[in-house]
Amino acid sequence: VSDSLNRKVEKELNFIFPGSIKLRPELGDFLLPELVDSLIVDTLPNKIILETEKFSLISSASSQIRSQLSEDKKITLFTTYHGASYEDSNLPNSFFGDLMFTYMSDFYPRNIDDSDLVDEFVNRFGIKPNKTSIRAFDLVYDLILRIATQNDLYSIGTVGETEYLNNKFNYVPDKGGSYINHGYYLLQHKDYD
Protein backbone atom coordinates (compact mmCIF):
# COMPACT_ATOMS: atom_id res chain seq x y z
CA VAL A 1 0.00 0.00 0.00
CA SER A 2 1.57 3.29 -1.03
CA ASP A 3 0.40 6.81 -1.61
CA SER A 4 1.39 8.99 -4.57
CA LEU A 5 4.37 10.47 -2.68
CA ASN A 6 5.99 7.06 -2.26
CA ARG A 7 5.98 5.65 -5.81
CA LYS A 8 9.79 5.47 -5.90
CA VAL A 9 9.87 3.31 -2.75
CA GLU A 10 6.99 1.25 -4.15
CA LYS A 11 9.02 0.60 -7.31
CA GLU A 12 12.08 -0.48 -5.28
CA LEU A 13 9.96 -2.79 -3.13
CA ASN A 14 8.29 -4.24 -6.22
CA PHE A 15 11.76 -5.07 -7.56
CA ILE A 16 12.61 -6.88 -4.28
CA PHE A 17 9.17 -8.57 -4.09
CA PRO A 18 8.16 -9.09 -7.73
CA GLY A 19 5.09 -11.20 -6.87
CA SER A 20 3.61 -8.56 -4.59
CA ILE A 21 0.27 -6.89 -5.22
CA LYS A 22 0.09 -3.10 -5.31
CA LEU A 23 -2.80 -1.50 -3.50
CA ARG A 24 -3.43 2.19 -4.02
CA PRO A 25 -5.60 4.29 -1.72
CA GLU A 26 -8.74 5.98 -2.98
CA LEU A 27 -9.10 9.75 -3.12
CA GLY A 28 -9.48 10.74 0.53
CA ASP A 29 -6.76 8.32 1.71
CA PHE A 30 -8.75 5.16 2.41
CA LEU A 31 -8.72 1.61 1.12
CA LEU A 32 -11.76 -0.10 -0.33
CA PRO A 33 -12.87 -2.63 2.33
CA GLU A 34 -13.98 -5.17 -0.30
CA LEU A 35 -10.58 -5.01 -1.99
CA VAL A 36 -8.69 -5.44 1.29
CA ASP A 37 -10.96 -8.35 2.21
CA SER A 38 -10.39 -10.05 -1.16
CA LEU A 39 -6.58 -9.75 -0.96
CA ILE A 40 -6.03 -11.05 2.59
CA VAL A 41 -5.97 -14.84 2.60
CA ASP A 42 -6.22 -17.41 5.35
CA THR A 43 -3.89 -19.98 3.76
CA LEU A 44 -0.66 -17.94 4.01
CA PRO A 45 0.79 -15.35 6.39
CA ASN A 46 -0.14 -11.93 5.01
CA LYS A 47 2.67 -9.35 4.94
CA ILE A 48 1.58 -5.81 4.13
CA ILE A 49 3.96 -2.90 3.57
CA LEU A 50 2.42 0.52 4.21
CA GLU A 51 4.34 3.39 2.58
CA THR A 52 2.93 6.75 3.60
CA GLU A 53 3.52 9.64 5.94
CA LYS A 54 -0.15 10.69 5.85
CA PHE A 55 -1.93 10.19 9.16
CA SER A 56 -5.30 9.67 7.46
CA LEU A 57 -4.02 6.76 5.36
CA ILE A 58 -2.09 5.22 8.25
CA SER A 59 -5.20 5.36 10.42
CA SER A 60 -7.68 4.03 7.87
CA ALA A 61 -5.37 1.35 6.44
CA SER A 62 -4.27 -0.01 9.81
CA SER A 63 -7.89 -0.05 11.01
CA GLN A 64 -9.16 -1.87 7.92
CA ILE A 65 -6.27 -4.32 7.89
CA ARG A 66 -6.66 -5.00 11.61
CA SER A 67 -10.37 -5.73 11.12
CA GLN A 68 -9.34 -8.67 8.90
CA LEU A 69 -7.41 -10.41 11.70
CA SER A 70 -8.74 -13.77 12.85
CA GLU A 71 -7.48 -17.14 14.01
CA ASP A 72 -7.14 -18.12 10.35
CA LYS A 73 -5.87 -14.83 8.96
CA LYS A 74 -2.42 -13.82 10.19
CA ILE A 75 -1.22 -10.33 9.18
CA THR A 76 2.03 -8.45 9.77
CA LEU A 77 2.30 -4.77 8.87
CA PHE A 78 5.63 -3.21 7.81
CA THR A 79 6.96 0.17 6.71
CA THR A 80 10.34 1.39 5.49
CA TYR A 81 9.79 4.87 6.93
CA HIS A 82 8.44 5.39 10.43
CA GLY A 83 7.74 9.12 10.68
CA ALA A 84 5.97 11.26 13.26
CA SER A 85 2.51 10.37 11.88
CA TYR A 86 2.90 6.84 13.23
CA GLU A 87 3.44 8.27 16.73
CA ASP A 88 0.17 10.25 16.77
CA SER A 89 -1.72 9.78 20.04
CA ASN A 90 -4.93 9.16 18.08
CA LEU A 91 -3.50 5.86 16.80
CA PRO A 92 -3.92 3.26 19.53
CA ASN A 93 -0.87 1.07 20.11
CA SER A 94 -3.23 -1.92 20.09
CA PHE A 95 -3.66 -1.45 16.31
CA PHE A 96 0.06 -1.79 15.75
CA GLY A 97 0.52 -4.48 18.40
CA ASP A 98 -2.19 -6.69 16.91
CA LEU A 99 -0.57 -6.31 13.47
CA MET A 100 2.98 -6.90 14.81
CA PHE A 101 3.90 -3.60 13.13
CA THR A 102 7.59 -3.74 12.15
CA TYR A 103 9.84 -0.85 11.12
CA MET A 104 13.42 0.43 11.13
CA SER A 105 14.53 3.14 13.51
CA ASP A 106 17.79 4.71 14.58
CA PHE A 107 16.20 5.29 18.01
CA TYR A 108 15.49 2.45 20.44
CA PRO A 109 12.79 3.42 22.95
CA ARG A 110 14.37 1.81 26.02
CA ASN A 111 13.89 3.22 29.51
CA ILE A 112 16.95 5.20 30.63
CA ASP A 113 15.48 6.75 33.79
CA ASP A 114 18.24 5.17 35.92
CA SER A 115 21.10 6.53 33.80
CA ASP A 116 23.59 9.20 34.88
CA LEU A 117 22.53 11.35 31.92
CA VAL A 118 18.97 11.68 33.22
CA ASP A 119 20.17 12.54 36.74
CA GLU A 120 22.63 15.17 35.49
CA PHE A 121 20.09 16.61 33.03
CA VAL A 122 17.41 16.95 35.72
CA ASN A 123 19.91 18.54 38.13
CA ARG A 124 21.01 21.07 35.51
CA PHE A 125 17.77 21.87 33.66
CA GLY A 126 15.00 20.73 36.03
CA ILE A 127 13.34 18.40 33.49
CA LYS A 128 14.02 14.98 31.98
CA PRO A 129 15.79 14.89 28.61
CA ASN A 130 13.58 14.40 25.56
CA LYS A 131 14.32 12.22 22.52
CA THR A 132 16.27 15.02 20.80
CA SER A 133 18.45 15.68 23.85
CA ILE A 134 19.27 11.99 24.19
CA ARG A 135 20.08 11.80 20.45
CA ALA A 136 22.38 14.81 20.74
CA PHE A 137 24.18 13.28 23.73
CA ASP A 138 24.66 9.93 21.97
CA LEU A 139 25.82 11.60 18.75
CA VAL A 140 28.36 13.91 20.38
CA TYR A 141 29.62 11.08 22.61
CA ASP A 142 30.02 8.82 19.58
CA LEU A 143 31.86 11.45 17.51
CA ILE A 144 34.24 12.28 20.38
CA LEU A 145 35.08 8.60 20.85
CA ARG A 146 35.55 8.04 17.12
CA ILE A 147 37.84 11.05 16.74
CA ALA A 148 39.80 10.08 19.87
CA THR A 149 40.43 6.55 18.60
CA GLN A 150 41.03 7.44 14.94
CA ASN A 151 42.83 10.79 15.31
CA ASP A 152 40.80 12.37 12.50
CA LEU A 153 37.22 12.81 11.42
CA TYR A 154 37.72 11.15 8.01
CA SER A 155 38.42 7.72 9.52
CA ILE A 156 35.25 7.52 11.58
CA GLY A 157 33.76 4.89 9.26
CA THR A 158 36.46 2.37 10.13
CA VAL A 159 35.25 2.01 13.73
CA GLY A 160 32.11 0.11 12.77
CA GLU A 161 28.78 0.03 14.55
CA THR A 162 28.40 1.58 18.01
CA GLU A 163 25.41 1.81 20.36
CA TYR A 164 24.73 4.09 23.31
CA LEU A 165 21.66 5.01 25.38
CA ASN A 166 18.97 4.98 22.69
CA ASN A 167 20.86 5.34 19.41
CA LYS A 168 23.00 3.28 17.08
CA PHE A 169 25.64 4.57 14.66
CA ASN A 170 27.39 2.95 11.72
CA TYR A 171 28.88 5.54 9.37
CA VAL A 172 29.28 4.51 5.74
CA PRO A 173 30.93 6.71 3.07
CA ASP A 174 28.42 8.50 0.86
CA LYS A 175 28.72 10.48 -2.37
CA GLY A 176 30.83 13.61 -2.24
CA GLY A 177 33.06 12.47 0.61
CA SER A 178 30.40 12.63 3.34
CA TYR A 179 29.16 9.86 5.62
CA ILE A 180 25.68 8.50 6.24
CA ASN A 181 24.49 6.62 9.32
CA HIS A 182 23.40 3.05 8.56
CA GLY A 183 22.97 2.01 12.20
CA TYR A 184 19.35 0.96 12.70
CA TYR A 185 17.18 -1.11 14.99
CA LEU A 186 14.46 -3.36 13.65
CA LEU A 187 11.53 -2.75 15.99
CA GLN A 188 8.23 -4.58 16.27
CA HIS A 189 5.15 -3.67 18.28
CA LYS A 190 3.96 -6.37 20.65
CA ASP A 191 0.67 -5.90 22.51
CA TYR A 192 0.70 -2.29 23.75
CA ASP A 193 4.49 -1.77 23.49
Side-chain angles (χ1 to χ4, degrees), residues 147-190:
I147 292 170
T149 59
Q150 299 302 308
N151 293 327
D152 70 59
L153 192 57
Y154 299 103
S155 300
I156 64 171
T158 61
V159 173
E161 189 173 87
T162 57
E163 181 176 7
Y164 302 99
L165 294 173
N166 290 114
N167 297 278
K168 189 181 273 195
F169 304 99
N170 185 18
Y171 299 107
V172 177
D174 198 23
K175 298 173 186 169
S178 64
Y179 288 87
I180 189 165
N181 181 20
H182 279 204
Y184 293 98
Y185 298 97
L186 188 60
L187 300 178
Q188 183 177 70
H189 280 256
K190 289 188 179 179

Side-chain angles (χ1 to χ4, degrees), residues 112-126:
I112 61 164
D113 287 341
D114 297 335
S115 72
D116 291 339
L117 172 67
V118 173
D119 294 340
E120 290 177 30
F121 202 90
V122 169
N123 287 339
R124 184 164 187 178
F125 301 108

